[in-house]
Amino acid sequence: MNDLVSIIVPVYNVKNFIIETIGYVRAQSYTNWELILIEDHSDDGTGKLLTEYLDELQDDRIRVIWLDENAGPAAARNLGVEQSRGRYIAYLDADDIWEPDKLLRQLGFMREKKAAFCFGNYEFADEQGAGTGKVVHVPATLTYRRALRNTTIFTSTVMMDTEQIDRAKIRMPDVKSEDTALWWQLLRSGYIAYGFQETLVRYRRPVKSLSSNKLTAIKRIWALYRKVEKLGVLYSGYNFCFWAFRAVRRRV
């Protein structure tokens, strides 16, 4: 059985975090993984730092795909999936944090549930990565209709089984909030997302982002309802009310 886990990490201007993030992967108690770093044409010195670090590290489980121009997170993740060799796909953003048993525990859960699509709890963290105690708890399962009202699937908690979901279907569209668009797309096609209810991921959230980008988030989720999912105004508004309530509650 191919139980290799392919970990997909888009890398763009994360000089302050990328070495630490690689360390979280290498510290995993489950060791049958490959780490695919897609260097998305950073301009802050991330690429140079990455080259020097990996040359010294010499870990053949880690490889870098270098992009000639900035393509954005959706294209970077899609390329990573295309180049992956593992049965399982796991996403990790370059500034997020995995606890050492994340892969082991989540993979065991997926085997137990025979899940094709899995996501989990996560804890908000400060800029230094310390947990704040604010945890987002996920439901046991999530269907398409429920997901429209509850965008609680956090990318760095997601794992998929490519023996049940073809890689060709695991492509994030070129839209804002591309990750949510993919989750909805998969759920709409009939897959059920299983909620892994252990908190083994921390979402690093800089202080400056706490009060910013709220209007951007509202515009993005509305565009997903209307332009991507092509929902009517009333049904979009209905789902949006639930989304807004949960989004505020998660952050308070």
Side-chain angles (χ1 to χ4, degrees), residues 11-81:
V11 176
Y12 180 68
N13 287 356
V14 285
K15 184 178 179 180
N16 293 337
F17 303 115
I18 190 58
I19 303 305
E20 189 178 351
T21 301
I22 293 171
Y24 293 131
V25 175
R26 297 186 74 241
Q28 290 296 302
S29 55
Y30 185 84
T31 58
N32 189 19
W33 50 259
E34 64 170 354
L35 174 59
I36 304 174
L37 303 164
I38 304 90
E39 215 299 324
D40 197 13
H41 206 64
S42 298
D43 57 14
D44 70 339
T46 298
K48 182 175 184 291
L49 176 67
L50 199 55
T51 298
E52 293 172 349
Y53 177 73
L54 294 179
D55 282 350
E56 182 178 345
L57 190 63
Q58 292 295 305
D59 188 333
D60 60 10
R61 296 173 299 176
I62 304 172
R63 53 195 167 110
V64 183
I65 298 173
W66 301 91
L67 300 186
D68 293 332
E69 59 183 23
N70 181 252
R77 292 190 187 108
N78 292 342
L79 182 58
V81 171

